Structures are given as C-alpha cells and as structure tokens.
Amino acid sequence: QVQLVESGGGLVQAGGSLRLSCVATGSIHNINDMAWYRQPPGKQRELVAIMTSAGNINSADSVKGRFTISRDYVENVVNLQMNSLRPEDTAVYYCNAEVRPYGRDNYYDYWGQGTRVTVSS
C-alpha cells in the first residue's frame, strides 16, 4: 500500500509565502516523477510543477519565478515553495507520484488527498 500525505496549506495574504510538503510512504520500490497539481474553484486540475527522478523540472508558466519544486530522494518527499502568492493561486493542491511498489513490475500513479491554499487580496 502506497500513500501520499500532503501538509502545509492554509490561508495567506497576497504577496506571502507557503511551503507544501508531500511524503510518499508504504511499500515503495522506486519513484519516477513527483509533481504538484492544483484545482482552482470551478476549474479543472492543472499541473503546477513536476520533477523527474533525474532532477529535471518543468513548471507552469503562471508560477515560473515564484514557485520552486524540490525533492528528497532518500525520504521520498516532494516540496513546493510558493512565494509572491496571488489570489489566482487559490486552489486545492495535490501531490502526485509515479511509483513502482515492491513486488510489481509497473509504475502506477498515486495522489494525495489534497491541501487547500487560499490567497486573500
């Protein structure tokens, strides 16, 4: 059983910062990509940033220069440092990981339960 557990959401004023963390636990053989997605109110889920096992990063244009994704490969943690937050960053943020569980040959997508970020103007 593999689980992703997020933490760090909350309410912040525009211009402020928050740091989200997500830890993958359970019967994990290996993890490829780890990523953060978000779903603003009334909108579809969208990719915020993704970091591969090789350390390559891709992020949405709307967050470039403000958000930074990082990983701890030993602890199976992915973080999202969010600076200069804007009201339009308000969303539920989800952690995602491509995991190969022990005893399995394939990789599977796992999702966290989501953490809410609200940015007030």
Side-chain angles (χ1 to χ4, degrees), residues 36-104:
W36 287 96
Y37 286 75
R38 68 185 181 186
Q39 186 165 14
K43 296 184 178 181
Q44 290 189 336
R45 192 173 299 189
E46 61 185 15
L47 175 68
V48 177
I50 186 168
M51 190 167 183
T52 70
S53 57
N56 298 312
I57 292 172
N58 190 25
S59 56
D61 288 342
S62 59
V63 306
K64 284 179 179 175
R66 301 188 299 123
F67 292 10
T68 302
I69 189 171
S70 61
R71 286 177 65 170
D72 182 328
Y73 292 92
V74 174
E75 301 294 332
N76 292 331
V77 170
V78 62
N79 302 304
L80 186 68
Q81 178 65 42
M82 305 186 295
N83 299 327
S84 302
L85 282 160
R86 305 167 179 168
E88 54 264 38
D89 295 318
T90 295
V92 177
Y93 285 71
Y94 296 91
C95 174
N96 170 265
E98 192 179 30
V99 179
R100 179 186 173 188
Y102 276 112
R104 308 294 291 272

